[in-house]
Amino acid sequence: MRPVRVPAVASAVAALALVSGCGAAGGLESAGEAPSAVEPARLWPDLPPASAAPYDYGEGETARIPGITVPGGDVHRLDPVAVAQAGLKAKTDRDSGLDELPDATVRQIRACRTAPDDCPVLAPYYFDLTGDGRDELVLGIRMPGRQLAVRAYRADEGDRGDRGDRADDGDRGGLTRIMSTSDAVISVELAGRDLILRAPSAISGYEYRTAWSWDDRQQAMLATRDEILRAPERREEADRDRTPSPSAPTPESSGSAADGR
């Protein structure tokens, strides 16, 4: 395929400078010919496109959390353990089955009140993931094998109006889970409004990084970028198995843990 050449703007400007006598010191100088832009080549162009995804990874799946109301649309006023317990009965909008937790973790969540030391629900964080000016609730749930489930919850759209900080407790709305994923994560970070999950790779010295971003059309968090990258050299090999500590948010985080509110 022949490359499609775009106008060399820098060369044109330099030519104009020479014609107008601007080649003296301090004038415009040519930076050389601009590189050609090459359109992508399509492989196997006669291959018919797929009509459906081969697997359901649960992306874009949401679930209304039963029995949970959000006073004034403020997720800061929710009990994270109650949210996790109610979420065990939630039905997803597509019912992929990928949101289920291991039986041992389910038993621990149900026993959080009587056996708090074994409760797998980590301290919550609050971030404005959707860009609407209201915080969402982000929970981490420890699972066997040093796996971590990461979930984000949003007060229902109709209940997020400008009610002020002194909204009446009777003014309550529902709660929807807008993200649910799990992995053997190295860390969970916030970059802008994206949640970044770092996970170990089978290739030594590399790691996976997945960015979850709010999608207004889907009304859910989607895995918008999935990469395999060189791991930072400063990180020790043992760090591969670590899960994030909710008591130590990253410096760039705009939210805070529950005990900081």
Side-chain angles (χ1 to χ4, degrees), residues 36-97:
S36 300
V38 180
E39 65 184 52
R42 182 179 177 184
L43 308 187
W44 304 294
D46 297 329
L47 190 68
S51 58
Y55 304 105
D56 184 358
Y57 292 103
E59 70 275 16
E61 205 167 61
T62 61
R64 181 73 177 262
I65 306 302
I68 296 294
T69 54
V70 187
D74 184 2
V75 295
H76 293 264
R77 303 170 73 176
L78 297 177
D79 179 351
V81 170
V83 170
Q85 290 176 336
L88 298 176
K89 302 176 182 178
K91 299 296 183 182
T92 62
D93 57 353
R94 291 209 315 272
D95 196 22
S96 70

Side-chain angles (χ1 to χ4, degrees), residues 13-30:
V13 172
L16 179 61
L18 291 175
V19 172
S20 58
C22 295
L28 297 176
E29 295 183 3
S30 172

